[in-house]
Amino acid sequence: MARKKGREIHGWLIVDKPAGIGSTDVVGKVRWALDAKKAGHAGTLDPDATGVLAVALGEATKTVPILTDALKAYDFTVSWGAETSTDDASGGVVKTSDARPDEAAIRAALPEFTGEIMQVPPAVSAVRIDGARAYDLAREGEVVELAARPLWVESLELLGAARDSAELRMVCGKGGYVRSIARDLGRKLGCLGHVAQLRRIWSGPFEAGDGFAFDRIDRANQAEIEAALLPLQAALADLPEMQATEIGATRILNGNPGQVLGHAEFGEEVWVSRNGRALCIGRYMGGEVQPSRVFNLG
C-alpha cells in the first residue's frame, strides 16, 4: 500500500506550548491533526518552557530562517543558591551556595549581559559536536565542553526580586539560551543560579497571547485549527514588500529575476507579492528582484 503523503497546506500556526512536551512533538501533533504534508518550527523551546512555538506548514517552512533570525522575548525566573547539570530545574544540583543577592546587586550586574556578548550554551542543549547533539553526549556520560558563541541581547530587565529568586525579561537574537544567562548571572553574583520557569512571550511578529491552545490540537478540531492559520507572509513583517508586475510574477515563479514596483535599498532582502499572493523572498536589484526562495502555492 502506498504511503499517504498528506495535504498541501500552507501557513503558520502559533501554538502556546505547555510545559512537559518537546517542540518536535508539538510539530508532529499539528502535522497529524491537519494531515499536513510538511511542517517545521522556528526556534526550539525546552520541554519545561512554555509560550510561543511558531509552527510552519508547507511553503511557510521556506520563511523559517527569517523568523529564526528575528528578536525573541522571554520572561523567566532564576532560582538562587544552586547550579544544576542542565542549568534549569530538571537537572541535578551540582553546586550550592548560601549567598543571596539583593536587588541593587542584580540590577548592577545586568549591563554585563546586554549588547553583543559571548555565551557558552548549556551542556544539555541541541548544539552539535562532531555531528552529535550535546544533550545526547551528556546523557551518555561524556563531559561536554562547548565553545562560547556570540549573542545579541537587546535588553535584560529585572521585573521583581525576592530573597531566593528573581523575575527577569530578556529580548535577544538568534541562538540565545536563557539557561546560560541564569547560570552566568548566578556566577557573577556569587550565589549560583538556574532557571526555575521560562516562557517565550513573543517571537518576531508572533505573541503568546495569540497562541492556539495545545490541548485543542486534534483531528476533531481540524476546522478550528485551519481557521487559526496565518498566511506564510505573516513571518515576513520585517522585510519590505515589493509588488510584481504581471510579467515579473511569471518570471519570478520560474526562478528568474522579475520586475517589481516599489523601492528598497539595492541588495536588500525583500519579499514579493502579486494580487495578495506571496511569490518569493529575494534581493532587490534595482527595479527587479532576484528570487532566493520561490513559494509554490499552487
Side-chain angles (χ1 to χ4, degrees), residues 55-80:
V55 179
L57 297 157
E59 291 294 279
T61 57
K62 294 179 179 178
T63 68
V64 163
I66 303 296
L67 190 60
T68 301
D69 288 342
L71 292 175
K72 300 167 183 64
Y74 301 88
D75 282 355
F76 61 105
T77 301
V78 181
S79 181
W80 305 125

PDB file of all heavy atoms in Angstrom, residues 55-80:
ATOM      1  N   VAL A  55       4.733  27.212  14.375  1.00  0.00           N
ATOM      2  CA  VAL A  55       4.783  26.017  13.539  1.00  0.00           C
ATOM      3  C   VAL A  55       4.483  26.398  12.094  1.00  0.00           C
ATOM      4  O   VAL A  55       3.423  26.962  11.795  1.00  0.00           O
ATOM      5  CB  VAL A  55       3.782  24.956  14.023  1.00  0.00           C
ATOM      6  CG1 VAL A  55       3.818  23.718  13.124  1.00  0.00           C
ATOM      7  CG2 VAL A  55       4.080  24.564  15.470  1.00  0.00           C
ATOM      8  N   ALA A  56       5.436  26.104  11.207  1.00  0.00           N
ATOM      9  CA  ALA A  56       5.297  26.416   9.793  1.00  0.00           C
ATOM     10  C   ALA A  56       4.784  25.206   9.038  1.00  0.00           C
ATOM     11  O   ALA A  56       5.239  24.083   9.273  1.00  0.00           O
ATOM     12  CB  ALA A  56       6.646  26.851   9.218  1.00  0.00           C
ATOM     13  N   LEU A  57       3.856  25.439   8.124  1.00  0.00           N
ATOM     14  CA  LEU A  57       3.261  24.363   7.329  1.00  0.00           C
ATOM     15  C   LEU A  57       3.498  24.630   5.845  1.00  0.00           C
ATOM     16  O   LEU A  57       3.368  25.760   5.369  1.00  0.00           O
ATOM     17  CB  LEU A  57       1.762  24.269   7.600  1.00  0.00           C
ATOM     18  CG  LEU A  57       1.388  23.901   9.042  1.00  0.00           C
ATOM     19  CD1 LEU A  57      -0.015  24.378   9.362  1.00  0.00           C
ATOM     20  CD2 LEU A  57       1.502  22.399   9.243  1.00  0.00           C
ATOM     21  N   GLY A  58       3.842  23.567   5.110  1.00  0.00           N
ATOM     22  CA  GLY A  58       4.010  23.679   3.671  1.00  0.00           C
ATOM     23  C   GLY A  58       5.060  24.694   3.263  1.00  0.00           C
ATOM     24  O   GLY A  58       6.185  24.713   3.777  1.00  0.00           O
ATOM     25  N   GLU A  59       4.685  25.589   2.350  1.00  0.00           N
ATOM     26  CA  GLU A  59       5.622  26.578   1.825  1.00  0.00           C
ATOM     27  C   GLU A  59       6.071  27.598   2.874  1.00  0.00           C
ATOM     28  O   GLU A  59       7.086  28.261   2.699  1.00  0.00           O
ATOM     29  CB  GLU A  59       5.015  27.296   0.616  1.00  0.00           C
ATOM     30  CG  GLU A  59       4.856  26.418  -0.603  1.00  0.00           C
ATOM     31  CD  GLU A  59       6.193  25.969  -1.160  1.00  0.00           C
ATOM     32  OE1 GLU A  59       6.838  26.738  -1.877  1.00  0.00           O
ATOM     33  OE2 GLU A  59       6.599  24.821  -0.857  1.00  0.00           O
ATOM     34  N   ALA A  60       5.332  27.700   3.982  1.00  0.00           N
ATOM     35  CA  ALA A  60       5.754  28.600   5.059  1.00  0.00           C
ATOM     36  C   ALA A  60       7.086  28.158   5.665  1.00  0.00           C
ATOM     37  O   ALA A  60       7.794  28.966   6.275  1.00  0.00           O
ATOM     38  CB  ALA A  60       4.684  28.681   6.145  1.00  0.00           C
ATOM     39  N   THR A  61       7.451  26.875   5.494  1.00  0.00           N
ATOM     40  CA  THR A  61       8.739  26.413   6.019  1.00  0.00           C
ATOM     41  C   THR A  61       9.901  27.155   5.345  1.00  0.00           C
ATOM     42  O   THR A  61      10.985  27.226   5.912  1.00  0.00           O
ATOM     43  CB  THR A  61       8.917  24.897   5.828  1.00  0.00           C
ATOM     44  OG1 THR A  61       8.779  24.564   4.446  1.00  0.00           O
ATOM     45  CG2 THR A  61       7.884  24.122   6.631  1.00  0.00           C
ATOM     46  N   LYS A  62       9.663  27.716   4.155  1.00  0.00           N
ATOM     47  CA  LYS A  62      10.715  28.473   3.471  1.00  0.00           C
ATOM     48  C   LYS A  62      10.969  29.830   4.130  1.00  0.00           C
ATOM     49  O   LYS A  62      11.977  30.476   3.849  1.00  0.00           O
ATOM     50  CB  LYS A  62      10.358  28.670   1.998  1.00  0.00           C
ATOM     51  CG  LYS A  62      10.333  27.376   1.199  1.00  0.00           C
ATOM     52  CD  LYS A  62       9.942  27.616  -0.251  1.00  0.00           C
ATOM     53  CE  LYS A  62       9.939  26.316  -1.051  1.00  0.00           C
ATOM     54  NZ  LYS A  62       9.505  26.520  -2.453  1.00  0.00           N
ATOM     55  N   THR A  63      10.067  30.257   5.006  1.00  0.00           N
ATOM     56  CA  THR A  63      10.245  31.524   5.718  1.00  0.00           C
ATOM     57  C   THR A  63      10.814  31.329   7.121  1.00  0.00           C
ATOM     58  O   THR A  63      11.053  32.302   7.832  1.00  0.00           O
ATOM     59  CB  THR A  63       8.911  32.305   5.816  1.00  0.00           C
ATOM     60  OG1 THR A  63       8.006  31.611   6.683  1.00  0.00           O
ATOM     61  CG2 THR A  63       8.277  32.462   4.450  1.00  0.00           C
ATOM     62  N   VAL A  64      11.024  30.076   7.516  1.00  0.00           N
ATOM     63  CA  VAL A  64      11.544  29.787   8.862  1.00  0.00           C
ATOM     64  C   VAL A  64      12.855  30.527   9.152  1.00  0.00           C
ATOM     65  O   VAL A  64      13.016  31.083  10.252  1.00  0.00           O
ATOM     66  CB  VAL A  64      11.705  28.265   9.070  1.00  0.00           C
ATOM     67  CG1 VAL A  64      12.609  27.965  10.266  1.00  0.00           C
ATOM     68  CG2 VAL A  64      10.342  27.615   9.281  1.00  0.00           C
ATOM     69  N   PRO A  65      13.833  30.573   8.223  1.00  0.00           N
ATOM     70  CA  PRO A  65      15.076  31.293   8.544  1.00  0.00           C
ATOM     71  C   PRO A  65      14.863  32.765   8.886  1.00  0.00           C
ATOM     72  O   PRO A  65      15.605  33.323   9.695  1.00  0.00           O
ATOM     73  CB  PRO A  65      15.900  31.140   7.257  1.00  0.00           C
ATOM     74  CG  PRO A  65      15.387  29.891   6.622  1.00  0.00           C
ATOM     75  CD  PRO A  65      13.921  29.896   6.907  1.00  0.00           C
ATOM     76  N   ILE A  66      13.849  33.395   8.287  1.00  0.00           N
ATOM     77  CA  ILE A  66      13.562  34.797   8.585  1.00  0.00           C
ATOM     78  C   ILE A  66      13.124  34.938  10.034  1.00  0.00           C
ATOM     79  O   ILE A  66      13.601  35.814  10.773  1.00  0.00           O
ATOM     80  CB  ILE A  66      12.464  35.339   7.648  1.00  0.00           C
ATOM     81  CG1 ILE A  66      12.866  35.180   6.177  1.00  0.00           C
ATOM     82  CG2 ILE A  66      12.139  36.793   7.975  1.00  0.00           C
ATOM     83  CD1 ILE A  66      14.079  35.963   5.768  1.00  0.00           C
ATOM     84  N   LEU A  67      12.223  34.079  10.478  1.00  0.00           N
ATOM     85  CA  LEU A  67      11.731  34.153  11.853  1.00  0.00           C
ATOM     86  C   LEU A  67      12.800  33.712  12.847  1.00  0.00           C
ATOM     87  O   LEU A  67      12.900  34.260  13.951  1.00  0.00           O
ATOM     88  CB  LEU A  67      10.473  33.300  12.011  1.00  0.00           C
ATOM     89  CG  LEU A  67       9.726  33.474  13.336  1.00  0.00           C
ATOM     90  CD1 LEU A  67       9.287  34.909  13.518  1.00  0.00           C
ATOM     91  CD2 LEU A  67       8.525  32.549  13.400  1.00  0.00           C
ATOM     92  N   THR A  68      13.610  32.735  12.466  1.00  0.00           N
ATOM     93  CA  THR A  68      14.686  32.283  13.347  1.00  0.00           C
ATOM     94  C   THR A  68      15.641  33.421  13.678  1.00  0.00           C
ATOM     95  O   THR A  68      16.157  33.523  14.796  1.00  0.00           O
ATOM     96  CB  THR A  68      15.451  31.120  12.693  1.00  0.00           C
ATOM     97  OG1 THR A  68      14.545  30.045  12.437  1.00  0.00           O
ATOM     98  CG2 THR A  68      16.555  30.605  13.603  1.00  0.00           C
ATOM     99  N   ASP A  69      15.871  34.299  12.707  1.00  0.00           N
ATOM    100  CA  ASP A  69      16.788  35.423  12.903  1.00  0.00           C
ATOM    101  C   ASP A  69      16.160  36.592  13.651  1.00  0.00           C
ATOM    102  O   ASP A  69      16.869  37.524  14.047  1.00  0.00           O
ATOM    103  CB  ASP A  69      17.296  35.927  11.544  1.00  0.00           C
ATOM    104  CG  ASP A  69      18.272  34.960  10.892  1.00  0.00           C
ATOM    105  OD1 ASP A  69      18.817  34.102  11.607  1.00  0.00           O
ATOM    106  OD2 ASP A  69      18.493  35.064   9.674  1.00  0.00           O
ATOM    107  N   ALA A  70      14.848  36.585  13.835  1.00  0.00           N
ATOM    108  CA  ALA A  70      14.148  37.704  14.469  1.00  0.00           C
ATOM    109  C   ALA A  70      14.406  37.735  15.984  1.00  0.00           C
ATOM    110  O   ALA A  70      14.774  36.733  16.595  1.00  0.00           O
ATOM    111  CB  ALA A  70      12.649  37.601  14.202  1.00  0.00           C
ATOM    112  N   LEU A  71      14.177  38.903  16.584  1.00  0.00           N
ATOM    113  CA  LEU A  71      14.270  39.032  18.034  1.00  0.00           C
ATOM    114  C   LEU A  71      13.162  38.224  18.708  1.00  0.00           C
ATOM    115  O   LEU A  71      12.078  38.054  18.150  1.00  0.00           O
ATOM    116  CB  LEU A  71      14.157  40.501  18.455  1.00  0.00           C
ATOM    117  CG  LEU A  71      15.308  41.425  18.078  1.00  0.00           C
ATOM    118  CD1 LEU A  71      14.975  42.866  18.466  1.00  0.00           C
ATOM    119  CD2 LEU A  71      16.609  40.989  18.748  1.00  0.00           C
ATOM    120  N   LYS A  72      13.472  37.742  19.922  1.00  0.00           N
ATOM    121  CA  LYS A  72      12.511  36.973  20.707  1.00  0.00           C
ATOM    122  C   LYS A  72      12.566  37.467  22.152  1.00  0.00           C
ATOM    123  O   LYS A  72      13.618  37.919  22.610  1.00  0.00           O
ATOM    124  CB  LYS A  72      12.845  35.481  20.654  1.00  0.00           C
ATOM    125  CG  LYS A  72      12.827  34.913  19.232  1.00  0.00           C
ATOM    126  CD  LYS A  72      13.455  33.541  19.167  1.00  0.00           C
ATOM    127  CE  LYS A  72      13.499  33.035  17.732  1.00  0.00           C
ATOM    128  NZ  LYS A  72      14.360  33.862  16.853  1.00  0.00           N
ATOM    129  N   ALA A  73      11.453  37.367  22.872  1.00  0.00           N
ATOM    130  CA  ALA A  73      11.392  37.845  24.254  1.00  0.00           C
ATOM    131  C   ALA A  73      10.993  36.715  25.197  1.00  0.00           C
ATOM    132  O   ALA A  73      10.108  35.906  24.879  1.00  0.00           O
ATOM    133  CB  ALA A  73      10.396  38.990  24.378  1.00  0.00           C
ATOM    134  N   TYR A  74      11.654  36.680  26.344  1.00  0.00           N
ATOM    135  CA  TYR A  74      11.430  35.625  27.336  1.00  0.00           C
ATOM    136  C   TYR A  74      11.217  36.238  28.714  1.00  0.00           C
ATOM    137  O   TYR A  74      11.969  37.131  29.132  1.00  0.00           O
ATOM    138  CB  TYR A  74      12.643  34.695  27.409  1.00  0.00           C
ATOM    139  CG  TYR A  74      13.003  34.010  26.122  1.00  0.00           C
ATOM    140  CD1 TYR A  74      13.858  34.616  25.203  1.00  0.00           C
ATOM    141  CD2 TYR A  74      12.496  32.751  25.821  1.00  0.00           C
ATOM    142  CE1 TYR A  74      14.197  33.989  24.013  1.00  0.00           C
ATOM    143  CE2 TYR A  74      12.821  32.114  24.628  1.00  0.00           C
ATOM    144  CZ  TYR A  74      13.680  32.738  23.734  1.00  0.00           C
ATOM    145  OH  TYR A  74      14.011  32.118  22.552  1.00  0.00           O
ATOM    146  N   ASP A  75      10.215  35.757  29.431  1.00  0.00           N
ATOM    147  CA  ASP A  75      10.067  36.024  30.857  1.00  0.00           C
ATOM    148  C   ASP A  75      10.540  34.771  31.588  1.00  0.00           C
ATOM    149  O   ASP A  75      10.147  33.655  31.226  1.00  0.00           O
ATOM    150  CB  ASP A  75       8.610  36.301  31.217  1.00  0.00           C
ATOM    151  CG  ASP A  75       8.172  37.710  30.853  1.00  0.00           C
ATOM    152  OD1 ASP A  75       9.024  38.504  30.402  1.00  0.00           O
ATOM    153  OD2 ASP A  75       6.971  38.014  30.995  1.00  0.00           O
ATOM    154  N   PHE A  76      11.380  34.967  32.604  1.00  0.00           N
ATOM    155  CA  PHE A  76      11.896  33.794  33.306  1.00  0.00           C
ATOM    156  C   PHE A  76      12.197  34.095  34.765  1.00  0.00           C
ATOM    157  O   PHE A  76      12.394  35.252  35.151  1.00  0.00           O
ATOM    158  CB  PHE A  76      13.140  33.232  32.602  1.00  0.00           C
ATOM    159  CG  PHE A  76      14.322  34.167  32.512  1.00  0.00           C
ATOM    160  CD1 PHE A  76      15.438  33.992  33.335  1.00  0.00           C
ATOM    161  CD2 PHE A  76      14.352  35.203  31.583  1.00  0.00           C
ATOM    162  CE1 PHE A  76      16.542  34.829  33.241  1.00  0.00           C
ATOM    163  CE2 PHE A  76      15.452  36.042  31.473  1.00  0.00           C
ATOM    164  CZ  PHE A  76      16.548  35.853  32.310  1.00  0.00           C
ATOM    165  N   THR A  77      12.199  33.020  35.535  1.00  0.00           N
ATOM    166  CA  THR A  77      12.515  33.096  36.955  1.00  0.00           C
ATOM    167  C   THR A  77      13.837  32.390  37.195  1.00  0.00           C
ATOM    168  O   THR A  77      14.034  31.254  36.751  1.00  0.00           O
ATOM    169  CB  THR A  77      11.429  32.410  37.806  1.00  0.00           C
ATOM    170  OG1 THR A  77      10.169  33.041  37.557  1.00  0.00           O
ATOM    171  CG2 THR A  77      11.759  32.494  39.291  1.00  0.00           C
ATOM    172  N   VAL A  78      14.754  33.081  37.876  1.00  0.00           N
ATOM    173  CA  VAL A  78      16.019  32.480  38.282  1.00  0.00           C
ATOM    174  C   VAL A  78      15.930  32.130  39.759  1.00  0.00           C
ATOM    175  O   VAL A  78      15.568  32.973  40.582  1.00  0.00           O
ATOM    176  CB  VAL A  78      17.208  33.426  38.042  1.00  0.00           C
ATOM    177  CG1 VAL A  78      18.511  32.741  38.453  1.00  0.00           C
ATOM    178  CG2 VAL A  78      17.280  33.859  36.591  1.00  0.00           C
ATOM    179  N   SER A  79      16.245  30.892  40.081  1.00  0.00           N
ATOM    180  CA  SER A  79      16.296  30.448  41.475  1.00  0.00           C
ATOM    181  C   SER A  79      17.744  30.495  41.935  1.00  0.00           C
ATOM    182  O   SER A  79      18.625  29.903  41.299  1.00  0.00           O
ATOM    183  CB  SER A  79      15.739  29.028  41.596  1.00  0.00           C
ATOM    184  OG  SER A  79      15.753  28.591  42.936  1.00  0.00           O
ATOM    185  N   TRP A  80      18.007  31.228  43.009  1.00  0.00           N
ATOM    186  CA  TRP A  80      19.377  31.389  43.515  1.00  0.00           C
ATOM    187  C   TRP A  80      19.758  30.246  44.458  1.00  0.00           C
ATOM    188  O   TRP A  80      18.909  29.600  45.039  1.00  0.00           O
ATOM    189  CB  TRP A  80      19.522  32.708  44.273  1.00  0.00           C
ATOM    190  CG  TRP A  80      19.130  33.955  43.549  1.00  0.00           C
ATOM    191  CD1 TRP A  80      18.224  34.891  43.983  1.00  0.00           C
ATOM    192  CD2 TRP A  80      19.632  34.431  42.304  1.00  0.00           C
ATOM    193  NE1 TRP A  80      18.120  35.911  43.078  1.00  0.00           N
ATOM    194  CE2 TRP A  80      18.982  35.655  42.036  1.00  0.00           C
ATOM    195  CE3 TRP A  80      20.556  33.953  41.374  1.00  0.00           C
ATOM    196  CZ2 TRP A  80      19.225  36.401  40.883  1.00  0.00           C
ATOM    197  CZ3 TRP A  80      20.808  34.693  40.235  1.00  0.00           C
ATOM    198  CH2 TRP A  80      20.158  35.893  39.992  1.00  0.00           C
TER     199      TRP A  80
END
